[in-house]
Amino acid sequence: MICTSCFGVSGGCPVCFGTGVLPNSDVDQSSPKDHRLFATDAFPIHASAIPELMRCPWKLAMIYLFDPEDVTSEAADTGSATHIAVSHWHRSKELAAAVRAMREASEARFTKANLDEAAAMFLLYARDPRNQEAQIAQDKDGRLLLEYPVQFKLEPSSDDPTHETITIVGTLDQVRISSDNRLLLWDLKTSKKPGWDQLNTYLYQQAAYAVAASFVLKQQVRLGGLITPRHYKVDILPEGSPSGIFWHYTQKFDDLEMLINGLRGVVANIRRGDIHISPGEHCRWCPAKGVESCVPLLRSIVHPQTKRLHFVRSQANG
């Protein structure tokens, strides 16, 4: 990956240290895409990526532009394996078949999964009466809303230079029918983080899923919350419906629309080439591997007008 600071011609470059390449980066800069096509039908946004988009727009823009290698992790594959088991079990109510489906999927797609952890989380989930008694909603064709693909489009922001609609895709975990006959979106999260933290982290993702589900079903789907099976305790029988597993959202549907509207401006900025970074702890999971590589990459893309500060001249200074 050639250094975009010195382009390999400066032995004293403070970015690449004379090597001519960006350090510790998984990003291939050879053929970036057109940033004006970001979040269009050709390259839609996945709902699961929206929290990252709102936190650091450059990370999502960079992944779109340069297609870095998608390196999965044990935690991610373990979560995916657990989802497979849960979805299969809600359809069949057969524990052994669900575990078998999980193992087969992991051998083919989720090769880094810790299957012992995934099976333990799933089996505790399946013993909880709240899950045993869950009524899963169906679409108009009778398909259960489990691991259900969705897509919807948003009008672009008024200052979007492309005037192209924004396309969002994703896969719903599950939509349940509540005791008062409302449709509630629930999402399984296998993170070790506290549930309250996860509620905040994934709010944008869940808002997008709820809006998408409402669009597909032609009726309002509200946020239920997050289910965190890693927080089951083996020494506490799930038959007692332990606390600390179901984390409820309280936002109204109007709140969700307000949140999703906020990303229209972020998308417009990316399409304009007016992109900013937001460094933090999350940089450790970014393909750029930190600001040493991130900033030079950004410098190669942003619109020239965004590279300079524009000061307001006070009357006192003339």
Side-chain angles (χ1 to χ4, degrees):
M1 290 75 73
I2 189 169
C3 176
T4 50
S5 181
C6 73
F7 294 95
V9 299
S10 172
C13 177
V15 173
C16 70
F17 305 103
T19 64
V21 297
L22 290 175
N24 304 319
S25 175
D26 294 332
V27 182
D28 179 1
Q29 303 172 66
S30 58
S31 54
K33 303 185 188 76
D34 185 344
H35 59 82
R36 293 170 296 183
L37 296 179
F38 180 77
T40 61
D41 283 344
F43 303 101
I45 303 174
H46 198 285
S48 62
I50 292 177
E52 288 287 358
L53 176 66
M54 304 305 289
R55 178 164 56 183
C56 182
W58 172 231
K59 178 180 178 180
L60 265 292
M62 177 182 57
I63 290 173
Y64 156 70
L65 289 166
F66 297 107
D67 263 342
E69 182 181 356
D70 184 12
V71 180
T72 187
S73 65
E74 178 181 314
D77 278 6
T78 300
S80 296
T82 309
H83 277 79
I84 293 293
V86 166
S87 175
H88 195 286
W89 175 74
H90 274 297
R91 298 176 192 278
S92 68
K93 296 300 183 183
E94 296 180 4
L95 291 175
V99 172
R100 186 166 55 251
M102 176 191 72
R103 293 188 179 277
E104 291 173 353
S106 297
E107 289 175 2
R109 293 181 287 161
F110 313 122
T111 57
K112 295 183 179 181
N114 184 325
L115 294 181
D116 290 336
E117 279 193 3
M121 286 188 285
F122 159 63
L123 291 173
L124 288 168
Y125 173 98
R127 289 169 58 190
D128 191 324
R130 292 169 293 190
N131 300 322
Q132 293 174 350
E133 298 164 7
Q135 185 178 356
I136 306 298
Q138 301 180 3
D139 67 9
K140 61 181 180 62
D141 297 318
R143 291 177 297 178
L144 292 174
L145 298 181
L146 291 166
E147 298 296 316
Y148 189 90
V150 291
Q151 174 178 308
F152 69 103
K153 298 178 184 292
L154 295 175
E155 290 292 330
S157 174
S158 59
D159 61 345
D160 189 321
T162 69
H163 306 295
E164 294 286 341
T165 57
I166 298 169
T167 303
I168 300 173
V169 299
T171 302
L172 307 178
D173 269 13
Q174 49 185 267
V175 176
R176 298 184 177 189
I177 303 175
S178 68
S179 57
D180 56 359
N181 214 35
R182 294 184 299 170
L183 297 181
L184 299 179
L185 177 77
W186 286 94
D187 202 269
L188 195 73
K189 296 297 183 188
T190 57
S191 171
K192 297 177 182 179
K193 295 179 180 179
W196 186 84
D197 289 346
Q198 295 187 61
L199 280 177
N200 294 318
T201 298
Y202 296 112
L203 176 57
Y204 270 106
Q205 176 192 17
Q206 300 308 307
Y209 282 152
V211 170
S214 301
F215 178 79
V216 170
L217 298 176
K218 303 296 188 293
Q219 57 181 311
Q220 192 175 102
V221 176
R222 304 185 183 188
L223 288 187
L226 305 180
I227 305 172
T228 58
R230 195 178 289 275
H231 295 150
Y232 281 118
K233 303 297 183 183
V234 177
D235 58 342
I236 298 177
L237 291 178
E239 285 83 344
S241 299
S243 60
I245 308 297
F246 281 69
W247 298 85
H248 296 261
Y249 281 111
T250 59
Q251 287 75 20
K252 298 178 180 179
F253 194 81
D254 288 348
D255 298 329
L256 309 186
E257 292 184 306
M258 176 184 65
L259 289 170
I260 296 303
N261 265 327
L263 72 84
R264 295 163 65 233
V266 176
V267 170
N269 286 342
I270 292 175
R271 291 174 173 178
R272 187 185 302 109
D274 181 6
I275 313 171
H276 73 271
I277 64 172
S278 177
E281 291 184 0
H282 47 278
C283 291
R284 71 182 64 185
W285 297 286
C286 177
K289 303 294 176 60
V291 293
E292 293 86 357
S293 300
C294 179
V295 172
L297 282 168
L298 179 61
R299 186 188 304 125
S300 70
I301 295 297
V302 297
H303 189 280
Q305 290 295 325
T306 70
K307 296 182 181 181
R308 298 285 183 269
L309 291 177
H310 297 274
F311 296 97
V312 176
R313 295 176 63 89
S314 68
Q315 292 180 349
N317 292 332

